[in-house]
Amino acid sequence: MKDTTSQPIRTTCPYCGVGCGILVTPGPEGVTVAGDPDHPANFGRLCSKGSALAETLGTEGRLLTPLIGGRTSGWDRALDLIARRFTRTIAEYGPDSVAFYGSGQMLTEDYYAANKLMKGFVGSANIDTNSRLCMASSVAGHIRAFGSDTVPGLYEDFELADLVVLVGSNLGWCHPVLYQRLLAAKEARPALRVVVIDPRRTATCDIADLHLPITPGSDAALWNALLVEIDARGLGQWRNRVAGYDEALAAARAGSRDCGTDLTAFIEMWCSTERVVTAYSQGINQSDSGTDKVNAILNCHLATGRIGRPGMGPFSVTGQPNAMGGREVGGLANTLTCHLSLDDPAHRSAVQSFWNSPRIASRPGLKAVEIFEAIEDGRIKALWVMGTNPTISMPEADRVARALESCDFLVASDMVSTGTTRRADVVLPAAPWGERSGHVTNSERRISPQRAFLPPLGLARADWQAIAGVAQRMGFAGFDWADADAVFAEFKALSGVAGTLGADFDISGLSGDVPALWGNRPDGRFFGDGLFHTQDGRGRMIAVTPRAATPQMRLNTGRIRDQWHSMTRTGRAPRLNAHIAEPFVEVHPKDAARLGLAPAGLAAVENRHGRAILRVLVTDRTAPGQVFAPIHWTEANAPSGRVGALVPGAPDPVSGQPALKEASVTLSPFRAAWFGFAASARPFTPACDYWATARFAGGLRAELAGTAPPSDWEDYARTLFGLPGAEAAVLTDRARGLMRLSLSEGGILMAALFCAAQPVALSRKTVCDMIGQPAPAILTGQPPVGRADPGPTVCACLGVGRNTIRDAIRDGRCGDLGSLGRELGAGSSCGSCKPELRALLATMLEPVPSA
Ligand code: SF4
């Protein structure tokens, strides 16, 4: 018998900045995905998103050919047109009239080609990336403090520390495998303490010895207060080894502010623990004073010398798989390449000479927010967007969408149709994860290969190939790479030149194609010796004056456990949609009561920038006066769930990173006349005031609501599902405002619609499981007698629902994580659901207070 299985291919996860190694094994039934036990980032672990990667490889919705004006084209015509329009625009309006806007999803090779073309040949630095929205304030903070954008520590420092402080980071949901490493270390060594600093009680708080629910925006004040105490206790051991100590201390003393919570225990822990890691993420970076917040953290580590040694140091956790690679390549508007400086003539000259380019950008270009403003006012005439959808991810997303519509010439490279590709003059089909090869760098500076294991679908190509094609057509030499390896070899050689100029990023000696940490220090860490990349070699402490917080109802934005960005990939995996299937807003019970918001009802969340309609989740995880909403939903799956439309996104003055976590909003009940739930074996697009769709294994489901009910439900359902001739069964209860409708073909249930005057209460999973099965005589929306409703999915890998878990805890079968895993399988695979399992255990096993 022929063996149709193959050897596993080593590659890297395409989602978050943890950068987990993956083994992909092609087989007769498709590919299987497993964690790579030999990869030093994850040692075989994967989170729910990584584990479900094989489910996301379908062809549905993929862009297969270039499009010009919405019509199919060949690559040559498309590239000719792009080259012609960019050349003409540059000739007419100058190099700064064009721009590239990329993504932390791009591979290092793509970034390298784009940066070389724009900075070295067009002669502008108008190249920026959605990484600007993610960690630009960390880059700026590093450069101010260290003289270079260098992450000092390693993942293993989380395990070696005695205290890990997580600031503005929901590590449990956003970087799950790093969280699991921390959790395992804490379980093995309970003396390792964890502090979470976050206005919200996130899933990560589950393992925290201390949670500080600070007032939003008061982070800098907190770190200033710590610095004052560090000095008072005589812990400022590097006072004379770093610059700016006294100025930073004076600013800290002057800028004290109430953080909304008692800091005593935290300060005591931090001061008394030498091995301390402070990890921070978007909660720090996505602020209009993000760089100051970063430096306020770095100040405390520099003052104490707790940096670059085992188990200690500040640690910026990056959001995207190759945000770090983009930083190394120079894919930001204010950087050059290989940690060389755009401001240094010698650096520019060396890079120009290496590229043999006719010119080189000599000043910073437009950053992300500025690019779209420049389109609005006509300074940018031609834009190429690669691997990102700014109509969702940018602040003031509606305004950005209008700007793109007004752009003279817009090119978009993507794997699927998005709000950006739909507005583009030329669309290029990009080869995604699995169909392209190259490299990514994770949060700890580890470069890993991403390898193709499938042929490109249709005419899809890697971004570097498209960029090289355009560059060659613009008449530029030096873009005739044979393959991605040749691009990477050139990048490595350039980094060798950078090394001779004193840059720390020199990978010219990197050999082989295995995960490799860059840096020339024996233990892989930087700055433990007190030597930095500044002119005088000293680290710099920065005087930070905290900003005042806004008093209005404040919207905090973020991510959910099982989705990634705008869901173009994770939204394809049914099991990832089973956890949370529609956009929501978390509201504190006091605010909900005050504003008349009912649990599971809908709220209109609005301000002068935009409006969203979101499902109300009443919870005390969010403090009074604050609300939280996730960022993932788009016009394709929930048009009124686009949270980016509400965010003004004032940029940080140093880094240009917009404040994506800061918006003042008002909330009011969305007065729906009817609510509905629909499920169908075939795709459908609802048309009503509120809708949100999600895939399940047998089709598509949707939550619906409208301000006026249709005149005829049966007609409505037939049109909605595209089943004009199906056999309909309708049950209505006018007195209770209920309606249940099924449509079947040949005795098979093809679609179901449930509507009510209140949010529809039924077992969604039961209804979804019935689609495609023999049509029942009566559609109840409840499990058959004798079978329990599992409830919403908690464990995505094993499909274990909340009701099942609660029942097992309630009847005493399970009392801890181990027994939940043994009895139900919950949490026994990727472990991403462990925070929720622990929370359920904690709530249900709480001792009942005696009367
Ligand atoms: Fe991918 Fe999850 Fe690892 Fe992040 S933690 S790289 S999403 S598997």
Side-chain angles (χ1 to χ4, degrees):
M1 194 174 142
K2 192 177 162 195
D3 181 10
T4 49
T5 57
S6 311
Q7 286 299 309
I9 294 159
R10 290 202 139 82
T11 185
T12 312
C13 177
Y15 298 127
C16 82
V18 178
C20 295
I22 286 182
L23 296 177
V24 174
T25 309
E29 307 292 326
V31 304
T32 56
V33 162
D36 181 350
D38 297 325
H39 197 288
N42 55 318
F43 298 107
R45 298 176 178 93
L46 289 180
C47 75
S48 52
K49 293 185 283 285
S51 304
L53 269 164
E55 290 175 35
T56 69
L57 295 172
T59 58
E60 197 183 321
R62 282 284 303 278
L63 291 168
L64 300 177
T65 66
L67 303 171
I68 297 178
R71 297 184 169 207
T72 300
S73 154
W75 272 97
D76 280 337
R77 264 191 70 211
L79 296 182
D80 284 347
L81 177 60
I82 297 167
R84 209 165 51 240
R85 290 295 299 266
F86 268 72
T87 303
R88 198 168 80 200
T89 306
I90 293 163
E92 216 168 311
Y93 301 101
D96 289 334
S97 64
V98 301
F100 293 165
Y101 185 64
S103 159
Q105 307 285 314
M106 290 165 67
L107 302 184
T108 295
E109 290 74 2
D110 306 320
Y111 261 128
Y112 180 79
N115 193 49
K116 179 177 178 181
L117 173 56
M118 183 54 79
K119 292 197 180 123
F121 289 80
V122 172
S124 168
N126 282 349
I127 170 170
D128 218 43
T129 142
N130 62 7
S131 296
R132 175 78 53 195
L133 318 180
C134 170
M135 43 79 243
S137 291
S138 286
V139 175
H142 285 164
I143 292 173
R144 287 206 303 192
F146 308 149
S148 63
D149 175 25
T150 307
V151 173
L154 308 173
Y155 288 160
E156 71 175 26
D157 291 324
F158 285 67
E159 295 155 336
L160 297 173
D162 294 320
L163 174 64
V164 174
V165 183
L166 301 169
V167 199
S169 164
N170 185 3
L171 205 73
W173 278 20
C174 302
H175 299 95
V177 165
L178 191 52
Y179 168 87
Q180 286 172 33
R181 285 182 63 168
L182 174 62
L183 177 63
K186 188 166 166 54
E187 283 172 352
R189 188 164 56 90
L192 193 173
R193 287 164 304 169
V194 175
V195 175
V196 175
I197 303 174
D198 197 310
R200 239 176 112 222
R201 199 177 73 240
T202 64
T204 305
C205 295
D206 165 56
I207 58 162
D209 297 278
L210 177 67
H211 170 217
L212 293 182
I214 59 169
T215 308
S218 64
D219 313 73
L222 179 149
W223 292 95
N224 271 356
L226 177 61
L227 182 62
V228 170
E229 195 59 27
I230 284 170
D231 183 74
R233 297 186 187 203
L235 297 171
Q237 293 167 9
W238 275 19
R239 178 178 197 140
N240 299 318
R241 293 182 66 177
V242 296
Y245 185 101
D246 292 334
E247 293 84 348
L249 181 64
R253 285 186 177 134
S256 71
R257 219 188 78 202
D258 180 19
C259 298
T261 189
D262 185 3
L263 305 182
T264 312
F266 164 68
I267 287 176
E268 184 57 40
M269 274 190 204
W270 209 97
C271 286
S272 61
T273 312
E274 190 183 22
R275 285 178 180 250
V276 53
V277 167
T278 305
Y280 56 94
S281 194
Q282 267 76 327
I284 290 292
N285 294 330
Q286 291 181 331
S287 156
D288 61 3
S289 57
T291 310
D292 274 353
K293 290 177 180 174
V294 168
N295 284 111
I297 294 170
L298 302 186
N299 281 348
C300 294
H301 283 273
L302 286 174
T304 52
R306 295 175 185 172
I307 186 167
R309 287 183 286 147
M312 63 185 85
F315 200 105
S316 149
V317 192
T318 50
Q320 299 197 72
N322 201 28
M324 189 69 89
R327 286 150 74 166
E328 293 158 358
V329 162
L332 293 166
N334 54 324
T335 59
L336 185 56
T337 185
C338 301
H339 289 191
L340 295 176
S341 169
L342 200 54
D343 300 328
D344 189 323
H347 289 187
R348 292 199 304 268
S349 166
V351 175
Q352 184 179 356
S353 152
F354 180 87
W355 281 341
N356 195 19
S357 66
R359 55 191 73 84
I360 188 103
S362 57
R363 58 191 160 89
L366 298 173
K367 301 183 180 108
V369 172
E370 296 166 337
I371 285 176
F372 297 96
E373 288 171 351
I375 295 171
E376 270 183 337
D377 64 26
R379 280 175 291 146
I380 296 285
K381 311 279 185 194
L383 174 71
W384 188 347
V385 179
M386 304 174 206
T388 183
N389 178 11
T391 68
I392 295 299
S393 53
M394 284 295 292
E396 290 196 85
D398 290 344
R399 185 176 158 194
V400 167
R402 288 193 295 273
L404 289 180
E405 264 156 31
S406 73
C407 188
D408 284 0
F409 186 63
L410 176 63
V411 182
S413 301
D414 214 313
M415 64 177 256
V416 291
S417 172
T418 69
T420 300
T421 62
R422 283 191 286 279
R423 291 169 171 88
D425 300 283
V426 180
V427 176
L428 300 177
W433 183 80
E435 297 172 22
R436 61 180 184 176
S437 290
H439 292 83
V440 292
T441 310
N442 71 5
S443 298
E444 64 166 353
R445 292 179 276 109
R446 193 174 297 279
I447 298 174
S448 298
Q450 254 194 29
R451 290 195 179 94
F453 51 87
L454 294 168
L457 198 63
L459 299 183
R461 287 186 189 172
D463 288 333
W464 71 263
Q465 291 177 298
I467 295 158
V470 168
Q472 288 171 310
R473 283 166 173 79
M474 290 174 81
F476 301 136
F479 291 86
D480 53 349
W481 302 293
D483 52 26
D485 287 347
V487 185
F488 195 65
E490 184 179 312
F491 176 49
K492 284 200 302 183
L494 176 57
S495 79
V497 174
T500 63
L501 292 167
D504 62 353
F505 183 79
D506 178 356
I507 58 167
S508 55
L510 203 72
S511 58
D513 208 11
V514 293
L517 202 64
W518 66 257
N520 55 6
R521 312 289 169 107
D523 73 349
R525 299 178 179 83
F526 279 90
F527 312 136
D529 53 7
L531 292 175
F532 292 82
H533 298 133
T534 52
Q535 289 273 326
D536 61 5
R538 295 200 295 163
R540 296 248 178 301
M541 289 176 63
I542 305 292
V544 171
T545 303
R547 301 250 174 104
T550 54
Q552 292 98 337
M553 175 72 88
R554 190 177 163 123
L555 170 67
N556 180 5
T557 65
R559 292 135 203 271
I560 59 172
R561 191 190 77 189
D562 286 355
Q563 295 296 345
W564 175 255
H565 283 199
S566 54
M567 298 163 67
T568 50
R569 184 176 285 281
T570 47
R572 293 162 173 254
R575 68 167 128 150
L576 297 181
N577 294 329
H579 182 229
I580 295 174
E582 67 175 325
F584 64 89
V585 58
E586 285 185 358
V587 187
H588 190 272
K590 283 184 186 160
D591 287 329
R594 180 171 60 82
L595 298 166
L597 298 171
L602 291 170
V605 185
E606 45 202 326
N607 58 21
R608 68 186 172 86
H609 304 286
R611 179 175 195 252
I613 303 171
L614 304 171
R615 186 73 59 185
V616 175
L617 183 58
V618 178
T619 169
D620 63 3
R621 282 195 296 266
T622 296
Q626 300 170 36
V627 293
F628 170 85
I631 58 169
H632 306 286
W633 280 270
T634 70
E635 57 198 10
N637 50 23
S640 62
R642 292 167 58 248
V643 169
L646 295 162
V647 180
D652 174 271
V654 183
S655 68
Q657 176 160 359
L660 278 165
K661 285 183 166 287
E662 298 170 9
S664 295
V665 292
T666 59
L667 274 77
S668 57
F670 175 76
R671 310 248 177 238
W674 63 277
F675 295 83
F677 175 76
S680 166
R682 296 187 191 141
F684 61 99
T685 303
C688 52
D689 298 294
Y690 170 84
W691 59 266
T693 56
R695 281 194 201 180
F696 63 93
L700 193 75
R701 54 176 278 190
E703 301 290 338
L704 313 167
T707 48
S711 53
D712 185 317
W713 282 112
E714 190 176 321
D715 281 355
Y716 177 83
R718 288 183 185 282
T719 308
L720 173 67
F721 298 123
L723 293 168
E727 193 180 321
V730 186
L731 269 175
T732 52
D733 180 342
R734 290 190 194 286
R736 295 164 61 206
L738 301 176
M739 192 281 307
R740 284 183 248 152
L741 183 151
S742 63
L743 293 174
S744 35
E745 285 182 338
I748 298 296
L749 182 65
M750 296 302 292
L753 175 66
F754 294 75
C755 293
Q758 303 299 326
V760 178
L762 55 80
S763 168
R764 266 82 175 152
K765 181 164 179 0
T766 300
V767 175
C768 291
D769 286 349
M770 292 168 78
I771 299 294
Q773 301 296 317
I778 300 173
L779 195 60
T780 64
Q782 299 304 331
V785 175
R787 199 185 307 163
D789 171 14
T793 298
V794 173
C795 173
C797 297
L798 278 294
V800 187
R802 183 177 298 140
N803 294 350
T804 308
I805 296 164
R806 291 173 73 101
D807 288 348
I809 299 171
R810 194 177 294 117
D811 65 23
R813 276 180 294 142
C814 300
D816 55 24
L817 278 181
S819 51
L820 282 172
R822 284 190 302 277
E823 278 286 318
L824 310 174
S828 62
S829 180
C830 79
S832 295
C833 61
K834 281 184 179 172
E836 278 163 282
L837 297 178
R838 281 170 176 271
L840 279 170
L841 285 163
T843 320
M844 296 190 64
L845 299 178
E846 226 169 48
V848 180
S850 50

